[in-house]
Amino acid sequence: MTGTPSGRIRQTVLHWLKDPAAHFPPSSLDPLGTGVTPRAVAAKLGVPRRTAAAHLDFLTRLGLLRSRRRLLRTYYHRDEARIAEVAQLFEKNW
C-alpha cells in the first residue's frame, strides 16, 4: 500500500486514526473519541471532502476501517482486529 501516492495517503490516514485525539480537533471526533468525519480528514490532507471520503470508503471496503453514523455525520475508526489479522498475513509472506 505504500508504493503509490494513494497508498501513502491511506497509510497516513490509518496512522492518524490510531490516535485521532492527537491529530484532529475535538469538534471532529465522535462522542467516544475514536472516529473522525471525512470533512476532518479532508481538511488535514488538504483535499476535497469527496477525495477523503473515497480513501475512507476504500479502507472500509478492505475492512481496515469501520464507519458509525451518529445523527447526520459518519465517523470512521480503525478496526484493530482486522488490521492485526492483515499484518499477520504479511508477516507470514501471505
Side-chain angles (χ1 to χ4, degrees), residues 11-50:
Q11 189 174 32
T12 299
V13 170
L14 283 171
H15 170 74
W16 290 340
L17 291 178
K18 193 167 193 172
D19 184 7
H23 298 283
F24 296 96
S27 61
S28 65
L29 299 176
D30 70 5
L32 300 176
T34 59
V36 298
T37 63
R39 182 170 296 191
V41 173
K44 189 150 177 85
L45 287 172
V47 300
R49 189 196 59 77
R50 289 182 66 145

Side-chain angles (χ1 to χ4, degrees), residues 70-90:
R70 182 153 172 96
L71 300 176
L72 298 176
R73 293 184 176 171
T74 301
Y75 296 91
Y76 289 85
H77 63 279
R78 289 168 50 115
D79 183 337
E80 297 297 343
R82 175 69 175 149
I83 290 170
E85 182 181 301
V86 170
Q88 281 184 333
L89 289 173
F90 280 104

